[in-house]
């Protein structure tokens, strides 16, 4: 069994593996619209992937991927980023790969001077990183508990989150 060795920025040679693992990771996900691979491709083409990290095993194979892109928030605070999608090969899930990718990515965002990060996701999973739902932060009528934020530098943003157009264009 391959073991997580390192997390590093994606390289051009990783693109096909990232697409394949993203599709595999979300294939059985009932909450997915199965556009995650196209979203990452669209962000990459638009040069909007602020951070695109891969988890690599001790044999050099990619175990998982996480993407971060800029978002805007209605209240106007800059320096905010969206986390996602995050993908791990099904055979490597529940082994800490996703947790390691998210933690490393958040550390890198802080080092870049980000003010914070938002996401749409499972409160039970993302709460361990300090993400919390905030009813004053919204996304298209999604229930507030799934719209979460992690503030690095106050103030917390308020209002509707807008993701990069690649999230809309993906089909």
């Amino acid at each position: 069994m391959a073991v997580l060795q390192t997390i590093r920025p994606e390289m051009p040679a990783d693109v096909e593996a990232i697409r394949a693992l993203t599709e595999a990771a979300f294939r059985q996900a009932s909450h997915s619209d199965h556009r995650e691979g196209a979203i990452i491709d669209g962000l990459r083409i638009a040069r909007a992937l602020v951070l695109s990290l891969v988890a690599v095993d001790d044999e050099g194979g990619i175990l998982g991927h996480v993407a971060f892109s800029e978002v805007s928030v209605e209240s106007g605070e800059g320096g905010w980023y969206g986390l996602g999608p995050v993908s791990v090969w099904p055979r490597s899930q529940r082994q800490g790969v996703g947790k390691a990718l998210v933690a490393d990515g958040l550390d890198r965002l802080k080092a870049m001077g980000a003010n914070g990060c938002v996401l749409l996701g499972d409160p039970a999973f993302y709460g361990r990183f300090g993400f919390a739902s905030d009813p004053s932060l919204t996304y298209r009528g999604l229930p507030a508990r799934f719209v979460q934020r992690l503030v690095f530098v106050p103030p917390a943003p308020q209002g509707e989150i807008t993701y990069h157009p690649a999230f809309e264009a993906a089909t």
Side-chain angles (χ1 to χ4, degrees), residues 37-77:
I39 290 168
I40 295 167
D41 291 344
L43 290 168
R44 188 181 295 112
I45 289 166
R47 300 186 190 280
L49 277 172
V50 174
L51 278 177
S52 182
L53 304 174
V54 292
V56 181
D57 68 21
D58 53 355
E59 299 167 359
I62 294 175
L63 299 171
H65 173 261
V66 67
F68 293 87
S69 56
E70 284 188 89
V71 297
S72 60
V73 185
E74 191 174 357
S75 57
E77 287 84 5

Side-chain angles (χ1 to χ4, degrees), residues 108-129:
R108 291 178 193 233
L109 279 180
K110 287 179 197 173
M112 292 170 37
N115 289 329
C117 187
V118 298
L119 62 81
L120 310 173
D122 178 8
F125 180 80
Y126 292 105
R128 71 183 82 184
F129 302 101

Side-chain angles (χ1 to χ4, degrees), residues 1-170:
M1 177 169 165
V3 176
L4 174 62
Q5 183 69 27
T6 190
I7 295 175
R8 62 165 173 76
E10 81 166 41
M11 298 185 298
D14 301 331
V15 171
E16 287 183 34
I18 290 169
R19 179 65 184 254
L21 89 85
T22 301
E23 289 175 355
F26 285 94
R27 188 168 290 126
Q28 301 299 321
S30 61
H31 67 277
S32 172
D33 58 10
H34 309 290
R35 299 181 311 134
E36 292 82 5
I39 290 168
I40 295 167
D41 291 344
L43 290 168
R44 188 181 295 112
I45 289 166
R47 300 186 190 280
L49 277 172
V50 174
L51 278 177
S52 182
L53 304 174
V54 292
V56 181
D57 68 21
D58 53 355
E59 299 167 359
I62 294 175
L63 299 171
H65 173 261
V66 67
F68 293 87
S69 56
E70 284 188 89
V71 297
S72 60
V73 185
E74 191 174 357
S75 57
E77 287 84 5
W80 280 81
Y81 297 87
L83 185 166
V86 58
S87 308
V88 177
W89 283 108
R91 67 182 176 270
S92 299
Q93 291 175 1
R94 303 202 190 317
Q95 297 176 26
V97 176
K99 183 178 177 182
L101 280 164
V102 171
D104 189 286
L106 293 172
D107 287 345
R108 291 178 193 233
L109 279 180
K110 287 179 197 173
M112 292 170 37
N115 289 329
C117 187
V118 298
L119 62 81
L120 310 173
D122 178 8
F125 180 80
Y126 292 105
R128 71 183 82 184
F129 302 101
F131 280 92
S133 59
D134 179 347
S136 66
L137 193 62
T138 60
Y139 182 74
R140 298 185 170 185
L142 194 68
R145 70 186 198 98
F146 297 114
V147 182
Q148 299 170 65
R149 53 112 175 108
L150 177 59
V151 178
F152 302 149
V153 179
Q158 297 182 356
E160 185 76 9
I161 300 166
T162 302
Y163 284 84
H164 187 276
F167 284 82
E168 295 300 316

